[in-house]
C-alpha cells in the first residue's frame, strides 16, 4: 500500500466514522441516557465488531451477495425493520440512568452483532475493501485496513458517546430527555432514507 493510498484511506475511514449513522446515533443516545462508563461495552462492540467485519468482507464474506442476490434485499429490509424497532425503543425509553429495568445500554456482543445488519457498516466495509485494498500483498493489506479502521473509528465513535454524556447534564428534566430521545429516534429512522430509496 502506497503512502498516498494509505492517506486517502485514512481520510475515508475518518469521514465515514465521524459522520452520523446508526452506530453514532445510538452511542450519542446511550451516552445521554446512561453516561460514558456504561456505554463503553457498546462502544467497544462497535469498534471491534466493525473492524472484524471489514476483515471478514475482505476475506470473502461479501461474495455471498454475488452468490445469493436475494440476501441483499433480506439484509436491507431486515436491517431497516430492526433500526425502526431500535428507534421505537429509543423514543420510548425511560429517564436518565435507565431507571426502567428494561432500559440499559447495548452490551458488547449486541453491538458486534449489530454491525452485520447495519447498512452503513456494510457500505463502509465494502468501500474500504474494494477501493483501498491493493491486490498485491492482499492479506497483509486487508489486515492493515482493518487495523487502521479500528484505530480511527474508535476515537470517532467515542466522541459521539462523549458528546451524549455532555448533553446528559442538559437533559435532567424528563421533558428535555423525552424530546431528545424522540428527536434521535426520528434521526435514526431518517438514516434509512438513502438505504431504501436507492434499493
Amino acid at each position: 500500500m502506497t503512502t498516498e493510498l494509505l492517506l486517502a484511506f485514512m481520510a475515508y475511514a475518518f469521514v465515514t466514522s465521524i459522520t452520523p449513522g446508526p452506530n453514532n446515533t445510538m452511542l450519542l443516545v446511550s451516552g445521554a441516557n446512561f453516561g460514558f462508563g456504561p456505554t463503553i461495552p457498546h462502544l467497544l462492540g462497535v469498534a471491534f465488531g466493525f473492524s472484524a467485519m471489514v476483515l471478514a468482507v475482505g476475506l470473502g464474506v461479501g461474495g455471498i451477495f454475488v452468490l445469493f442476490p436475494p440476501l441483499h434485499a433480506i439484509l436491507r429490509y431486515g436491517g431497516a425493520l430492526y433500526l425502526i424497532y431500535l428507534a421505537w425503543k429509543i423514543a420510548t425509553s425511560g429517564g436518565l440512568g435507565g431507571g426502567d429495568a428494561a432500559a440499559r445500554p447495548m452490551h458488547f456482543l449486541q453491538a458486534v452483532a449489530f454491525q452485520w445488519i447495519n447498512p452503513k457498516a456494510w457500505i463502509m466495509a465494502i468501500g474500504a475493501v474494494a477501493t483501498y485494498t491493493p491486490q498485491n500483498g492482499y492479506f497483509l493489506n486487508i489486515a492493515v485496513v482493518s487495523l487502521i479502521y479500528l484505530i480511527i473509528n474508535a476515537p470517532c465513535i467515542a466522541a459521539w458517546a462523549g458528546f451524549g454524556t455532555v448533553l446528559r447534564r442538559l437533559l435532567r428534566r424528563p421533558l428535555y430527555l423525552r424530546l431528545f430521545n424522540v428527536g434521535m429516534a426520528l434521526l435514526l429512522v431518517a438514516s434509512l432514507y438513502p438505504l431504501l430509496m436507492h434499493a
Side-chain angles (χ1 to χ4, degrees):
M1 186 180 287
T2 64
T3 303
E4 292 80 10
L5 186 61
L6 182 61
L7 291 174
F9 170 65
M10 290 171 72
Y12 170 84
F14 176 75
V15 169
T16 55
S17 295
I18 200 70
T19 52
N23 279 322
N24 288 340
T25 302
M26 290 191 303
L27 286 166
L28 177 72
V29 170
S30 185
N33 282 272
F34 305 107
F36 193 83
T39 300
I40 289 175
H42 181 175
L43 195 156
L44 293 175
V46 171
F48 285 100
F50 177 70
S51 182
M53 181 185 191
V54 171
L55 185 61
V57 167
L59 295 177
V61 170
I64 293 172
F65 292 104
V66 175
L67 296 173
F68 188 60
L71 185 60
H72 184 67
I74 292 169
L75 175 69
R76 180 187 305 123
Y77 296 112
L81 287 174
Y82 186 66
L83 284 173
I84 290 168
Y85 166 75
L86 289 175
W88 176 79
K89 294 288 283 179
I90 289 169
T92 59
S93 63
L96 289 174
D100 176 5
R104 58 180 163 242
M106 190 177 278
H107 60 68
F108 180 83
L109 291 179
Q110 286 174 317
V112 168
F114 176 71
Q115 302 319 300
W116 295 93
I117 61 163
N118 178 357
K120 184 182 177 187
W122 276 103
I123 292 166
M124 290 165 61
I126 291 170
V129 170
T131 309
Y132 298 101
T133 310
Q135 292 300 309
N136 188 21
Y138 182 78
F139 292 107
L140 176 60
N141 286 327
I142 194 62
V144 168
V145 164
S146 299
L147 181 62
I148 289 173
Y149 233 136
L150 175 65
I151 291 167
I152 291 175
N153 182 260
C156 290
I157 62 176
W160 282 82
F163 183 58
T165 304
V166 170
L167 285 177
R168 184 176 169 82
R169 296 181 185 145
L170 305 174
L171 302 173
R172 292 283 176 195
R173 295 182 65 182
L175 175 62
Y176 295 164
L177 181 64
R178 176 54 55 98
L179 290 173
F180 172 78
N181 285 341
V182 169
M184 291 300 100
L186 291 173
L187 182 62
L188 193 57
V189 171
S191 74
L192 293 172
Y193 179 79
L195 168 75
L196 298 177
M197 290 303 104
H198 301 291

